[in-house]
Amino acid sequence: MRPMAKVRKSGMSRAKPTAHHKAKQKKTKSLPQHPPQRGGVELVDPLVQAQMKLYEEAMGLFHQQKFQRAKQELEKVIAGPSKELADRARTHLRITEQRMKPTADQNPKSPEDHYQRGVAMMNLGRWDEARESLEKARKLAPKADHVHYALAALDCLTGEADSALANLKIAIELRSANRYHARNDEDFNFLQEDPRFTELLYPEKEGFSG
């Protein structure tokens, strides 16, 4: 403030500092600086930022039911510097490993039981068992969009383009959000060069409504 500035210009403020005062000033300047802050919160360590990115990728894979890849990413998160993130990753790793286990001995009965078993078999590369379980799930719940979507992904993994497109079309008709999920799903890489796939996922480009 301006009044303070006038006070500093008074005779008292012009007095030469004593040797003791100089030493005190020098000591104060040598203190370590605080880390730069943003909004009162210390900036995140780059290693923690990288750990957070891995965690987010792992959770994305987890929600896509890609448990094998999610498991690999979660294990990397656990090795990171943030204890909080590592603890979160351990929790989801236990769930992931549980869902990866074959469930034949659990005698699945409901559509969701068969679906979960089918996804688990897909993650293990056991295509025939995966298809058997997913087909049972579809028979019990013909309007379950996620079952049709999983079958479409399985068809891609086994090189069956026509069946994959048919199942994916139904999944999108039942739930339009599946169109956007499929755009970023690596399981559908097999169809990337198929114009029917492009037409199905990007109808606006060709003037299609469905």
Side-chain angles (χ1 to χ4, degrees):
M1 296 175 63
R2 292 179 185 277
M4 291 294 289
K6 289 180 180 178
V7 172
R8 291 194 184 98
K9 291 180 180 178
S10 66
M12 288 182 65
S13 65
R14 287 196 296 268
K16 293 182 179 180
T18 62
H20 174 72
H21 184 62
K22 286 182 178 179
K24 187 175 180 181
Q25 286 182 322
K26 186 175 181 181
K27 184 177 180 182
T28 301
K29 289 180 179 179
S30 67
L31 291 174
Q33 296 296 314
H34 289 292
Q37 297 189 341
R38 182 183 297 149
V41 180
E42 292 186 3
L43 292 174
V44 179
D45 185 305
L47 292 176
V48 176
Q49 287 181 324
Q51 186 183 12
M52 173 60 80
K53 185 178 179 182
L54 280 172
Y55 178 75
E56 291 172 350
E57 291 174 355
M59 293 312 299
L61 293 166
F62 176 85
H63 290 304
Q64 292 175 37
Q65 308 279 335
K66 297 177 181 178
F67 298 125
Q68 182 60 47
R69 290 172 55 199
K71 179 177 183 291
Q72 294 171 352
E73 296 301 300
L74 288 169
E75 288 171 344
K76 294 177 185 176
V77 176
I78 291 172
S82 169
K83 183 179 183 299
E84 181 184 353
L85 284 173
D87 288 343
R88 289 189 206 172
R90 284 191 189 91
T91 298
H92 282 95
L93 181 61
R94 285 194 292 271
I95 299 171
T96 299
E97 290 175 338
Q98 182 62 37
R99 293 193 180 182
M100 287 175 65
K101 291 180 181 178
T103 56
D105 57 333
Q106 297 178 13
N107 190 26
K109 294 180 180 179
S110 71
E112 194 62 25
D113 288 342
H114 287 294
Y115 167 75
Q116 291 291 350
R117 184 177 188 279
V119 170
M121 293 300 101
M122 282 176 65
N123 279 300
L124 295 172
R126 291 158 64 171
W127 313 130
D128 291 341
E129 292 170 83
R131 188 173 300 282
E132 180 183 359
S133 292
L134 291 174
E135 290 289 0
K136 287 180 180 178
R138 178 165 62 177
K139 184 176 180 179
L140 292 169
K143 299 295 184 182
D145 65 279
H146 60 291
V147 174
H148 290 279
Y149 186 95
L151 277 165
L154 177 59
D155 288 333
C156 278
L157 294 170
T158 56
E160 298 175 48
D162 292 343
S163 181
L165 288 164
N167 280 313
L168 184 57
K169 185 174 186 295
I170 296 171
I172 291 172
E173 289 172 348
L174 291 169
R175 184 167 177 263
S176 60
N178 285 319
R179 172 178 281 121
Y180 307 105
H181 294 322
R183 290 178 181 180
N184 300 304
D185 193 333
E186 293 181 0
D187 285 347
F188 293 104
N189 284 347
F190 175 70
L191 294 174
Q192 289 297 326
E193 303 301 322
D194 193 317
R196 296 173 298 171
F197 182 68
T198 303
E199 178 183 315
L200 183 61
L201 295 195
Y202 301 92
E204 65 278 5
K205 290 186 178 182
E206 301 294 336
F208 293 97
S209 59

